[in-house]
């Protein structure tokens, strides 16, 4: 079993699927990317910080309910 610190787990989780996301960006060459899923937006943020893409991005919150009950 792999042990993760609290700070390293989200970063490793966001790396999941980043190669496919980067391939799609290079293939489609979008002017902008709009996300409705926070983790995918986080993955793009990592790609941008690693200077692998410069595509502008926006995140739209589409779920405004309380999920506690």
């Amino acid at each position: 079993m792999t042990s993760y610190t609290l700070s390293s787990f989200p970063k490793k989780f966001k790396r999941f699927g980043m190669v496919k996301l980067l391939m799609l960006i290079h293939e489609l060459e979008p002017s902008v990317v709009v996300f409705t899923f926070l983790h995918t937006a986080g993955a793009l943020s990592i790609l941008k910080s690693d200077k692998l893409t410069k595509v502008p991005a926006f995140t739209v919150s589409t779920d405004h309910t309380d999920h506690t009950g």
Side-chain angles (χ1 to χ4, degrees), residues 1-13:
M1 184 166 115
T2 304
S3 174
Y4 296 105
T5 65
L6 188 58
S7 62
S8 69
F9 178 75
K11 202 168 202 177
K12 290 184 184 303
F13 177 76

Side-chain angles (χ1 to χ4, degrees), residues 42-59:
L44 182 65
S45 177
I46 292 171
L47 292 172
K48 289 175 79 166
S49 70
D50 289 345
K51 306 220 184 305
L52 297 172
T53 184
K54 292 182 180 182
V55 65
F58 297 91
T59 303

Side-chain angles (χ1 to χ4, degrees), residues 15-38:
R15 292 204 184 273
F16 177 75
M18 287 189 353
V19 172
K20 186 171 183 173
L21 176 61
L22 188 59
M23 288 172 54
L24 279 170
I25 289 170
H26 286 286
E27 179 184 331
L28 299 174
E29 298 179 358
S31 300
V32 64
V33 178
V34 178
F35 292 102
T36 58
F37 189 62
L38 183 60

